[in-house]
Amino acid sequence: MDNRFLKLIELSIKAHWDLPALTDHRERTLYYKDVACEIEKMHILFERAGIRKGDKIALAGRNSSRWVVGFFSILTYGAVAVPILHDFKAENIHHIVNHSEARILIAAAQNWEKLSGEAMPGVRLFLAVESGAILLSRIPDMEQVFEQLEDLFAGKYGTPFTPEQIAYHVEQPEELAILNYTSGTTGFSKGVMLPYRSLWSNTQYAAERLPFVHAGDNFVSMLPMAHMYGLAFEILNGINKGCHIHFLPRMPNPKSVIESLQKNRPTLIIAVPLIIEKIIRNNVFPLLRKPVMRVLYRLPAVRQLIRRKIRGQLNAAFGNNCFEIVIGGAAINREIETFLRTVRFHYTVGYGMTECGPLVAYEQWDTFRQGSVGRIVDRMEVKIDSPDAETVAGEIIVRGMNNMLGYYKNPDATAEIMLEDGWMRTGDLGTLDRDGFLFIRGRCKTMILGSNGQNIYPEEIESLLNELPYVAESLIVTRKALIHALICPDLEKAEKNDLSEEKLTDIMQHNLHHLNQRLPVYSKVSGFELCRERFEKTPKLSIKRFLYQQEKI
């Protein structure tokens, strides 16, 4: 069988043996040959712990070199990886570990100090992400095995360890590879069962359709690897291509992110809208709104010069070596996208979901169609559940190599999403043009039915509202059968301009008036509520809407 994901990884490690692979912030670099050695040592631990092919091994921790080593150690051994987002609360991690029936938990120190071994009785062995050291063992003599690990490795492979000695697990297409627990916008976590064909399909697509990425190129890992978007296109794609992946500091901030991008000059950047929007709103828009700049911007010749300079500054901020930035995980603000298009910045927007591992749509920046989320990828089929796919929004339904097997131990949830003949519901609403470009309108579960039967899409109203002064983010909900806005104001900007609570409320009232002038009568917003705390987010930084749908009592 040629279509094997683990074969791609095995061949890449052998081909790029002497190239740098993984670097943590201000720490030593692991070369591909180092990664190969560490994987084999982990295999020895797994074998001595009695782990069999198909057993679950959970992995919790921040993005790091050792996280990547742990992840590939699990898959290449033939076990099933259960990645867990590092900032999940202890009770969430306990639940996922128990529900997945994990036999080993590899945990970072920051997570382990909050966890209880007693709360995870099925786990036989707890290992540290940072060193592979034993945190807690319910298996006799495992501490001794770890102490003798170097000798056991040397005894098994001799010196030196060579590429020819690598022989990873031979997987089947439908075999379970990853059990990824989502933290969705409309409910509680479900274990998405992703087979090896999905990993191979996503990774092979990136290899074929991102030809500008070459061995030795730099990546900067900014998205959580426990989420499929960052895992697939920063890590799986990067390792398959022989790239050098750099990790941010333990507690990254905008300044450290920019510093890492400028230092490491990545070829490809995978981002969520929030990262791009913050840079534009905080560093670009304030300059353009200065009185002098407004006057100059009206002059066509000067306007072109200004746009060219802004594009240059944005490119410099991202390292001056990036072929394109791929934005995904959530909807990009319409104002921000229009601006990026105006200055001819090399961005594109993709679309996917964890259940597709994740890719459904993508198009390169220079042929990308504004407002869309790309063109349907060649290994997936899409149909719109509506009478006219081009003009009438309907649920997006997908079928293809990327689709999951179902939800782990949850046949009811699986039956809700999986249809006959391999089709799968996405829960998203959209339209599809004749050229195969997909346009997202909203979520099925968030769509509001107007009093006269009109379909109202909260995301479209939020996009307009988020463009208005002092609005950091917003959420459209219903209150007493009326459309209502929950608004998180930009408190930092308000304090900087010494705005009182009364003045801020007046501004929001004016915003609401301005917003309603742009909306049809049936979707006008009746009122608003200011929220002092930012909305709780999923791993891909979408708002957990279900937490805010009900009216407070």
Side-chain angles (χ1 to χ4, degrees):
M1 184 185 68
D2 295 328
N3 300 344
R4 287 185 48 227
F5 169 76
L6 291 179
K7 190 66 174 179
L8 294 178
I9 301 305
E10 181 178 323
L11 291 175
S12 178
I13 289 176
K14 290 177 177 178
H16 307 112
W17 194 253
D18 292 313
L19 290 182
L22 308 167
T23 300
D24 291 312
H25 181 66
R26 295 179 180 174
E27 294 188 22
R28 81 180 187 94
T29 294
L30 293 179
Y31 285 72
Y32 278 85
K33 59 186 174 184
D34 300 322
V35 172
C37 287
E38 295 304 314
I39 285 175
E40 297 303 330
K41 291 174 187 176
M42 292 293 285
H43 286 181
I44 292 172
L45 285 176
F46 295 162
E47 184 179 357
R48 294 301 181 98
I51 298 301
R52 297 170 297 182
K53 292 183 185 298
D55 283 346
K56 317 296 192 306
I57 299 179
L59 181 59
R62 292 182 180 277
N63 291 11
S64 69
S65 296
R66 298 297 311 194
W67 195 103
V68 176
V69 168
F71 175 81
F72 281 109
S73 297
I74 295 167
L75 293 190
T76 55
Y77 183 82
V80 177
V82 186
I84 302 174
L85 195 70
H86 73 274
D87 56 5
F88 273 176
K89 294 179 180 178
E91 55 266 35
N92 298 126
I93 296 178
H94 291 154
H95 167 72
I96 291 172
V97 169
N98 293 331
H99 186 267
S100 68
E101 302 173 292
R103 297 195 65 199
I104 293 179
L105 170 62
I106 307 174
Q110 184 184 21
N111 293 107
W112 178 244
E113 65 185 16
K114 301 173 184 177
L115 299 176
S116 166
E118 293 181 357
M120 297 173 281
V123 178
R124 305 297 295 155
L125 182 65
F126 297 86
L127 301 175
V129 166
E130 295 82 0
S131 62
I134 294 172
L135 299 169
L136 174 66
S137 175
R138 296 183 173 119
I139 304 170
D141 303 323
M142 280 305 297
E143 289 84 357
Q144 185 178 356
V145 171
F146 180 75
E147 291 173 3
Q148 298 173 348
L149 192 56
E150 294 295 333
D151 292 336
L152 291 170
F153 174 75
K156 184 175 181 178
Y157 295 104
T159 304
F161 177 61
T162 63
E164 292 72 28
Q165 292 172 292
I166 294 176
Y168 292 150
H169 170 63
V170 178
E171 79 277 17
Q172 297 300 312
E174 298 300 312
E175 183 181 339
L176 180 60
I178 297 177
L179 188 51
N180 194 281
Y181 282 80
T182 67
S183 182
T185 57
T186 57
F188 298 104
S189 295
K190 296 186 288 288
V192 176
M193 297 189 291
L194 290 172
Y196 274 101
R197 62 165 160 74
S198 179
L199 270 60
W200 173 84
S201 179
N202 276 277
T203 305
Q204 186 64 24
Y205 180 87
E208 295 169 357
R209 296 301 299 271
L210 305 177
F212 50 86
V213 177
H214 303 98
D217 284 355
N218 288 328
F219 277 21
V220 174
S221 177
M222 295 190 290
L223 302 181
M225 294 186 297
H227 189 269
M228 284 309 301
Y229 179 34
L231 179 62
F233 298 110
E234 289 178 342
I235 307 305
L236 306 188
N237 174 39
I239 294 296
N240 181 48
K241 282 294 190 80
C243 297
H244 184 186
I245 303 169
H246 300 263
F247 297 95
L248 298 170
R250 181 177 172 183
M251 297 296 289
N253 53 50
K255 181 180 178 183
S256 65
V257 171
I258 293 297
E259 286 177 352
S260 182
L261 292 171
Q262 292 177 340
K263 176 184 176 182
N264 297 307
R265 306 182 70 238
T267 303
L268 171 69
I269 294 176
I270 306 297
V272 292
L274 191 62
I275 295 173
I276 307 300
E277 290 172 11
K278 275 190 173 183
I279 291 173
I280 302 297
R281 291 192 187 282
N282 295 340
N283 300 318
V284 179
F285 281 178
L287 296 175
L288 292 177
R289 286 168 179 156
K290 289 183 176 181
V292 174
M293 191 65 76
R294 285 177 181 270
V295 173
L296 292 174
Y297 204 73
R298 294 192 187 102
L299 306 174
V302 178
R303 182 164 59 242
Q304 291 303 316
L305 290 174
I306 292 173
R307 287 174 177 172
R308 194 177 304 126
K309 185 173 182 180
I310 290 172
R311 183 172 67 249
Q313 291 174 337
L314 285 173
N315 287 334
F318 291 111
N320 259 337
N321 191 49
C322 183
F323 180 84
E324 71 177 9
I325 294 180
V326 182
I327 302 171
I332 185 172
N333 177 271
R334 183 160 46 187
E335 181 188 26
I336 299 294
E337 183 176 10
T338 298
F339 172 78
L340 292 175
R341 194 76 169 184
T342 300
V343 300
R344 287 192 57 76
F345 185 67
H346 293 194
Y347 84 98
T348 186
V349 179
Y351 168 72
M353 57 191 299
T354 302
E355 289 84 347
C356 290
L359 196 58
V360 174
Y362 162 83
E363 184 72 8
Q364 190 169 291
W365 76 271
D366 51 347
T367 49
F368 170 74
R369 190 163 293 176
Q370 183 179 352
S372 77
V373 290
R375 198 193 304 262
I376 306 305
V377 299
D378 58 12
R379 55 218 57 216
M380 295 294 287
E381 299 175 78
V382 167
K383 61 182 181 181
I384 306 297
D385 187 13
S386 82
D388 184 348
E390 288 194 51
T391 61
V392 180
E395 184 172 9
I396 301 164
I397 303 175
V398 300
R399 179 171 69 178
M401 288 285 289
N402 296 359
N403 278 11
M404 69 170 181
L405 298 171
Y407 294 118
Y408 188 60
K409 295 194 296 190
N410 197 337
D412 291 340
T414 300
E416 286 182 11
I417 190 172
M418 304 297 282
L419 305 175
E420 295 180 357
D421 301 324
W423 290 98
M424 184 174 73
R425 298 184 182 277
T426 67
D428 290 319
L429 294 164
T431 55
L432 186 69
D433 73 14
R434 63 188 61 189
D435 296 319
F437 283 93
L438 184 63
F439 296 79
I440 305 296
R441 295 294 299 274
R443 291 282 297 172
C444 292
K445 292 183 179 180
T446 62
M447 187 188 75
I448 299 170
L449 192 63
S451 58
N452 293 325
Q454 306 93 337
N455 292 339
I456 301 168
Y457 304 103
E459 294 86 352
E460 294 184 349
I461 301 175
E462 291 157 8
S463 179
L464 294 173
L465 182 52
N466 291 344
E467 297 173 6
L468 299 176
Y470 293 96
V471 178
E473 56 184 359
S474 63
L475 199 61
I476 296 298
V477 296
T478 54
R479 294 288 186 261
K480 297 179 180 179
L482 298 174
I483 299 174
H484 197 80
L486 305 181
I487 302 173
C488 286
D490 188 336
L491 295 176
E492 184 178 343
K493 186 177 179 181
E495 290 174 6
K496 183 178 179 181
N497 292 309
D498 198 26
L499 294 184
S500 65
E501 182 82 14
E502 182 180 2
K503 180 61 176 175
L504 189 59
T505 301
D506 287 342
I507 290 173
M508 293 303 168
Q509 191 66 56
H510 179 76
N511 284 345
L512 194 64
H513 175 73
H514 181 75
L515 173 69
N516 282 333
Q517 288 183 324
R518 303 176 65 185
L519 296 174
V521 173
Y522 62 81
S523 64
K524 289 186 182 298
V525 180
S526 64
F528 69 92
E529 175 187 334
L530 292 182
C531 304
R532 286 285 169 177
E533 295 184 4
R534 288 295 184 97
F535 300 121
E536 191 172 337
K537 307 290 198 309
T538 70
K540 64 177 184 179
L541 302 181
S542 300
I543 297 171
K544 292 186 176 181
R545 291 178 176 272
F546 68 94
L547 296 177
Y548 306 95
Q549 297 297 340
Q550 298 299 320
E551 192 166 358
K552 294 181 180 178
I553 299 175

